[in-house]
Amino acid sequence: MAQEKKITVQRTIDAPTEDVFEVLTNPERHPDLDGSGFVRSVDNADRIQSVGEVFTMNMSGDHMGGDYQTDNHVTAYSENKMVGWKTAPAGTEPPGWEWLWELAPEGRDHTLVTHTYDWSDVTDEALLEKIDFPLVTQENLEDTLGRLAAAVSN
């Protein structure tokens, strides 16, 4: 049986969908949301507004030998519904993993947030040997949703 190559978590957040989307599309907020501890700060980013945009983040992790940067290529954007990006080492094309956020209103003041980390498109054998996917655990993603809930309530 093939191993699942994605992790999906969900949480209902006590905030309107627009407020959740506002936080997710602002890369300046991403270090506060990151449950993995890899995201340090924004290097170059405006508010996400469309597919095809790229924003750069300062990162740190043992899997990359310390500090590094990523370019995040926006792959999904639907206002107040969905935002997603594929991450790549800065200056390179994405090797295949993606972060996707899907939002569904549950009444006026609650939003069901579905967050997916998907590495099913990673096919580079050398990369698969170097990086032990998943780099980010289900617990990290659940922590990220908790951080998102806190961020929209402030």
Side-chain angles (χ1 to χ4, degrees), residues 19-132:
D19 293 357
V20 177
F21 193 74
E22 174 94 6
V23 170
L24 291 174
T25 56
N26 180 358
E28 296 279 347
R29 303 292 303 268
H30 292 187
D32 299 332
L33 305 179
D34 176 38
S36 73
F38 296 141
V39 179
R40 296 295 185 234
S41 62
V42 172
D43 183 73
N44 181 23
D46 294 319
R47 179 169 300 282
I48 298 167
Q49 297 183 10
S50 66
V51 169
E53 294 177 349
V54 177
F55 61 96
T56 302
M57 303 299 287
N58 296 313
M59 313 284 287
S60 187
D62 292 342
H63 62 284
M64 293 292 285
D67 295 342
Y68 62 102
Q69 288 187 321
T70 59
D71 287 339
N72 300 280
H73 300 252
V74 179
T75 55
Y77 183 91
S78 180
E79 190 169 349
N80 299 324
K81 293 180 184 171
M82 178 188 313
V83 65
W85 51 87
K86 286 189 174 181
T87 300
T92 68
E93 287 301 309
W97 62 89
E98 182 173 35
W99 306 95
L100 183 65
W101 300 85
E102 298 170 278
L103 310 178
E106 292 187 333
R108 209 184 67 160
D109 295 322
H110 305 284
T111 304
L112 177 63
V113 179
T114 303
H115 183 33
T116 301
Y117 166 43
D118 183 343
W119 63 97
S120 60
D121 288 342
V122 177
T123 57
D124 181 322
E125 291 299 324
L127 181 63
L128 288 168
E129 286 181 24
K130 179 181 177 184
I131 297 178
D132 187 23

